Amino acid sequence: MDNQTKTKIGKDVIESLTLGMYEDSRFIYREYIQNSADQIDLAVEQGLLGELSDGRIEIEIKPSESYISITDNATGIESSQVQAILKNIAKSTKDRSKNKGFRGIGRLGGAAYCNKLIFETSFKGEPVKSYLIWDAQKLKAIINNRATKEDAVAVIEEVTEFVQEKEKEDVHYFKVSLEGVNNEALLEKESIIEYLSMVAPVPFGKGFIYKGKIHQKAKELGLSLDEYSIYVNRDQIFKAYTTSIYEGEKNNKKKIDDVFDVETFVLLDKNEKLLGWGWCGLSTFKKVLPKINTAGGIRLRKGNIQIGLEAAMKKLFKENRGSRYYFGEVHAVSPQLIPNSRRDYFSENETCTKFEHLLRIKFEDLHKLYYFASKTRNEQKKIDDLKIASKKLKEKVNKGGFTDDKERKIYQEEYEQKKEKAALAEKELAKARDKIATQPIAYSKIFAKITENKPSKVEEVAVALPKKTTYITDSMSTLNRKDRKLVSRIFGVIDNVLPKDLSNILKEKIKEELQ
């Protein structure tokens, strides 16, 4: 008697591996794009396409029809292999050491968000195109029916249909269509473009002037940044990096800083083996990048596709907000840095632990860098404040003098306090200038940017206080000394009860009347 029980896989595994795989519905675009990118790589390798730029990934979004399609002009799939490849789950033949997608589960992610998922493909040299149609609505109904316990394989057979039609022999492509899309977020074109501008393996925009420096670093390392031509409703997508930093809202934004250079870096283990590399933008780091800056944060990438979302590496910074001071990327290189099934981080292994250790060291350096920038800005501001105070004091003396002794004392005390602070700041800036000679070049670049065209010495901005104090009433020659004192007292009251601008206007009118 055979006591062995035959292993069965229930239908719920389909839900776990497809319908329940991703928290963010937009991830399905990434899954289909990475599959297309792999096939474009293969098409170039086989000579079907001349180079990566000849490949095209075209996304079409039709909100009014609840329809989405993702099409590439890569290899397509041989008609004899369509069912074996597109019906099997988690049985990919891809090489995980070089392919961007390799588990064979991402292609069914779209089934969670539509009524019908259609794969259409044609292979060069074959006069047919093949369709594998998944009835996603029926699939969800079967999975949600808790009264039945169907086998996973039986469910797949029940919800799929294979169809073939005639096609031109020289045509080659692969197309995914989602009909009856039931998730509004997937149909918002502008939102999807913004998402893909950071997640997808697309080129830097023409206006990002440091892209050459980044590509050159990759070249020095014997690497390349895989960049693909991806379009949404015929608009090409580019990475959202800019050299300007803004605050405010989309339709009412204000520039507050510049990315004036980029720094590149490498992550080598103790055996000098390259685990990863990256770059980050240099600015004066005035504040955490406001949300209006789409590309804010240092992003984790593998195969030039983003791993997780912006905060994937937040835990590796000394401060949670640390990443948001920068634009930048970390590119994982080691084949042992393997994206997990959700592609929101890497599978845990020894290489990942080493990689994180190296990143913590690098991010500690970045932490020190933006704190250095903050301290330099604060010290420079004290000298700038003295310059402003000097200007105010000079204008006060040159434009008629003080209202009374009380106002003179306020101006003088404010000036002396700022002068004292500026003197201390001058010493701190001198120390910093000496210290950066032994620091990485980024320190001297930031120091120069913050202090350029600005005074750094108290003597450059300080003014000499006049030996004789002048008052606003001195010019009222028609008044005797007693009356001028009375007017001075009245001006003092005006200053106390009215806003500064209004006070100045009223005093000026009185002065005109009494001169």
Side-chain angles (χ1 to χ4, degrees), residues 39 69 105 110 131 180 185 201 206 209 223 231 255 273 296 365 375 396 399 407 447 472 476 499 510:
Q39 294 311 116
S69 68
I105 56 178
Y131 297 88
K206 293 179 180 178
I209 60 176
L223 304 169
Y231 301 81
K255 182 177 173 181
K273 184 177 181 181
D365 291 341
K375 180 173 174 56
K396 195 68 178 175
K399 292 184 178 180
E407 186 184 45
F447 186 88
I472 194 172
M476 299 178 182
I510 293 174

Side-chain angles (χ1 to χ4, degrees), residues 6-23:
K6 186 178 180 180
T7 301
K8 293 184 178 181
I9 299 177
K11 63 183 179 181
D12 288 347
V13 74
I14 303 175
E15 179 178 33
S16 299
L17 293 177
T18 58
L19 309 183
M21 180 60 69
Y22 307 112
E23 292 180 4

